[in-house]
Amino acid sequence: MQFRLEKRQEPSRLMLYTTPIAAVLLTMLVGAIIFSLIGYDGIGAVREIFFTPLTNAYKWQDLGVKAAPLIIIGVGLSIAYRANVWNIGAEGQYIIGGLAGTWVALATYGMTGPWILPLMILAGVVGGALYAAIPALLKTRLNVNEILTSLMLTYASVQLIYYLIRAPWKDPMGMGFPQTRLFSEAARLPNIIPGTIVHLGVPIAIVVALVAWFIMSRSVFGYQMRVVGAAPHAARYGGFSENKTIWLAMLVSGALAGLAGVLEVAGPFQRMVPGFPTNYGFTAIIVAFLGRLNPLGVIFAGIVMAITFVGGEVAQTTIGLPNAATGIFQAMVLFFLLAGDILVRYRLKRVVNQPAAGAA
């Protein structure tokens, strides 16, 4: 008995929306098996990573804080990927956004006023967009692959952090630790729920996703992104410039990554430290695809990935799971999601072997 893949006339909408759920369930099952085989409590690992953050009310605030940057970056990437512009360097744009906001915070240290935080946010957005403009320029002028350039620029941004916090921005009162001084009160995001760590960036993330959904579904910009990504030749005949679309997609995704960066440095961190690069930019790639490149879907996908971050920290302390376990589970989600996407566009068809002519 043999099977082959047969292309569907139209992608299956049922499979389109059920494969993300199936990917998460398969990740739990396979993850439990793998960690059991290597000597850990596999069932306990799945329980602590995927269920404890939901059942423990004290972890809900952590979910909101972790989900906010994933949602913001994921929304930007979903817009770019809709246009077939593959920005893989959102982590670097996130870092530059955080550095730009840090520069404003340090330059205004000791000052007060409601204008400081908006200025930091503006600097972060502009910084992320300008950093994304580098691969956009190389793509449109020299046809350099944006996947490679945006990814390599991420490592350059990490080294920039290490230089700044060890030399010009180093806290003189920090006892030699490589970090900036603590931001002043005017440069920190306020907590919106007293007694918790839920800061203003959490509702901002939801608003960003809702606005992006409206723009992508109700505006010429959204139509342009979708048409150029789905049918570039038809888009060209329709008057949409491919180069202009690349610029728009890269600038928007970079700006949102920079926004996430400045909200993180002004919220949970409140200073620049070596641990600021947290791989949110890379995880947001999974968020974008898990959310089906839809800003509303990105909200739920961001929460799912936030669960793995928070649950991974819990599993380290409760059952001694290594830190790398979180990345393993996230990678499996992406693997099963992409594998499931094959069934969205293709169906398995049984091949019936015909008997040879003249056979008895």
Side-chain angles (χ1 to χ4, degrees), residues 267-282:
F269 286 93
Q270 299 184 355
R271 66 183 353 147
M272 184 56 70
V273 295
F276 181 72
T278 49
N279 288 330
Y280 282 149
F282 294 119

Side-chain angles (χ1 to χ4, degrees), residues 56-74:
N56 187 344
Y58 290 105
K59 296 297 179 181
W60 294 350
Q61 56 182 329
D62 295 325
L63 289 180
V65 172
K66 296 284 188 184
L70 293 174
I71 292 171
I72 295 174
I73 303 173

Side-chain angles (χ1 to χ4, degrees), residues 146-276:
E146 73 273 19
I147 296 175
L148 298 177
T149 52
S150 60
L151 179 60
M152 290 189 293
L153 283 169
T154 297
Y155 301 104
S157 65
V158 172
Q159 296 305 314
L160 181 59
I161 279 188
Y162 294 160
Y163 164 71
L164 290 173
I165 62 178
R166 284 176 169 84
W169 288 0
K170 187 175 181 180
D171 183 6
M173 306 298 292
M175 302 179 64
F177 289 101
Q179 61 187 18
T180 67
R181 65 174 73 204
L182 194 66
F183 294 170
S184 60
E185 191 68 29
R188 303 179 200 171
L189 279 180
N191 291 343
I192 60 174
I193 302 178
T196 70
I197 60 173
V198 179
H199 54 73
L200 187 61
V202 176
I204 288 177
I206 303 299
V207 171
V208 166
L210 293 176
V211 171
W213 170 81
F214 181 81
I215 291 175
M216 288 297 291
S217 59
R218 299 288 189 273
S219 72
V220 175
F221 170 83
Y223 179 72
Q224 177 178 347
M225 295 293 112
R226 298 196 307 273
V227 170
V228 172
H233 295 295
R236 194 176 301 115
Y237 283 114
F240 292 129
S241 168
E242 184 178 359
N243 284 347
K244 182 179 178 181
T245 302
I246 292 172
W247 273 101
L248 288 173
M250 290 298 296
L251 291 177
V252 169
S253 57
L256 289 178
L259 173 63
V262 70
L263 293 179
E264 276 296 289
V265 78
F269 286 93
Q270 299 184 355
R271 66 183 353 147
M272 184 56 70
V273 295
F276 181 72

